[in-house]
Amino acid sequence: MLIKRFRNSEELSQFAAKSFIELANKAIAERGRFLISLSGGSTPMKLYAQLANETLDWSRVHFFWGDERCVPVDDPGNTYGVMRGIFFDKIGTTNIHRVESTLEPASAAQAYAHTLSGFADAPFDFPRFDLVLLGMGDDGHTASLFPGSQVEIASATIAVTAHYQDRPANRVSLTAKVFNQAREIWFLVTGAGKAETLRNVIKGERNLELYPAQRIQPVNGNLIWMIDEAAGRLLN
Ligand code: 6PG
């Protein structure tokens, strides 16, 4: 595990954008494509906006989501919908493998598992992502894996229907099993509100039930925490 610290979210996003392009070019050169699992929330939006101005053979990049809210695409809670305006309309790709967010969560989760299976890396029925982007909530949740939820899940996707904070309840999430097969995983974490949880997740005791972010441990890949000064102020 590597922790990379930045003064603020601008510097973090700039570094992440540059690293994203490098990683993508390398994957494309080696394997002909770059499979990325995107995260929602507010933190990565600067990165997405920045990436829209970068040069890359976007036709070789395949976009998936680590989680999505089951609301219509034009609802501000839909991550794909938000990203359409700041990113997808600008790069003009068709390789968008998104959650069918107007379905009921259970059906959407099932349909998404099918989407993943189309890119499967044997022996799994899902792809080995070249990069997984994740955020972390103040409570230690990541993607839509929330505190108190089941730790060991055999399926690649789950439907989430419980209420958490003020966010839409109905969601689809990939499971830790899928994330942990990735070649590279980046957590992007900024802001003072996350400092305490971040310390507990990184330096505290293992408590996978309470801190879903701790469930993310790549089996054969790199885990990088990109954090700003405010979020990292209790880590030392
Ligand atoms: C989503 C996410 C979620 C998010 C965290 C952090 O809600 O779409 O995937 O897990 O990454 O809640 O969100 P912020 O970046 O807004 O703090």
Side-chain angles (χ1 to χ4, degrees):
M1 183 191 74
L2 195 65
I3 301 178
K4 286 202 172 282
R5 307 175 78 138
F6 301 89
R7 261 197 304 187
N8 50 44
S9 65
E10 281 72 32
E11 288 185 8
L12 186 157
S13 306
Q14 270 166 26
F15 176 85
K18 196 174 136 264
S19 309
F20 180 111
I21 299 296
E22 281 170 15
L23 202 64
N25 277 324
K26 190 163 166 269
I28 293 167
E30 286 170 7
R31 292 180 294 281
R33 63 186 191 177
F34 182 61
L35 305 187
I36 165 114
S37 165
L38 301 161
S39 81
S42 53
T43 313
M45 294 304 153
K46 279 197 189 100
L47 163 64
Y48 300 149
Q50 181 117 8
L51 281 174
N53 303 319
E54 300 284 340
T55 306
L56 183 68
D57 183 355
W58 292 110
S59 70
R60 293 183 179 264
V61 181
H62 287 264
F63 298 93
F64 297 81
W65 276 263
D67 73 328
E68 182 60 280
R69 297 88 178 270
C70 291
V71 291
V73 160
D74 54 11
D75 184 297
N78 188 269
T79 303
Y80 161 70
V82 172
M83 287 190 69
R84 197 169 48 176
I86 61 173
F87 181 67
F88 290 114
D89 285 351
K90 299 194 171 143
I91 66 160
T93 182
T94 52
N95 303 330
I96 295 175
H97 310 287
R98 66 184 192 87
V99 174
E100 289 178 48
S101 60
T102 47
L103 297 176
E104 285 301 307
S107 314
Q110 212 178 356
Y112 208 49
H114 182 72
T115 299
L116 293 180
S117 70
F119 289 81
D121 268 319
F124 303 105
D125 54 0
F126 51 81
R128 187 166 182 219
F129 284 107
D130 293 299
L131 177 62
V132 167
L133 295 177
L134 290 171
M136 187 192 76
D138 298 1
D139 59 355
H141 80 256
T142 189
S144 289
L145 307 174
F146 290 96
S149 61
Q150 197 182 330
V151 174
E152 292 291 335
I153 304 171
S155 58
T157 63
I158 49 162
V160 177
T161 52
H163 244 297
Y164 292 99
Q165 298 175 330
D166 56 345
R167 300 205 169 169
N170 290 344
R171 302 172 174 219
V172 168
S173 187
L174 304 188
T175 59
K177 183 179 166 189
V178 177
F179 293 135
N180 287 339
Q181 289 299 330
R183 292 188 162 84
E184 185 123 346
I185 303 177
W186 300 350
F187 270 101
L188 308 187
V189 182
T190 62
K194 295 183 178 170
E196 203 176 319
T197 303
L198 188 63
R199 180 197 52 204
N200 295 344
V201 166
I202 292 184
K203 302 268 182 194
E205 275 173 32
R206 209 170 119 96
N207 188 338
L208 303 185
E209 203 177 295
L210 187 61
Y211 296 122
Q214 288 185 336
R215 300 176 197 169
I216 307 303
Q217 292 295 341
V219 174
N220 186 14
N222 303 318
L223 174 61
I224 303 179
W225 287 85
M226 298 187 191
I227 65 178
D228 74 350
E229 230 165 56
R233 83 194 143 89
L234 300 176
L235 284 180
N236 263 325

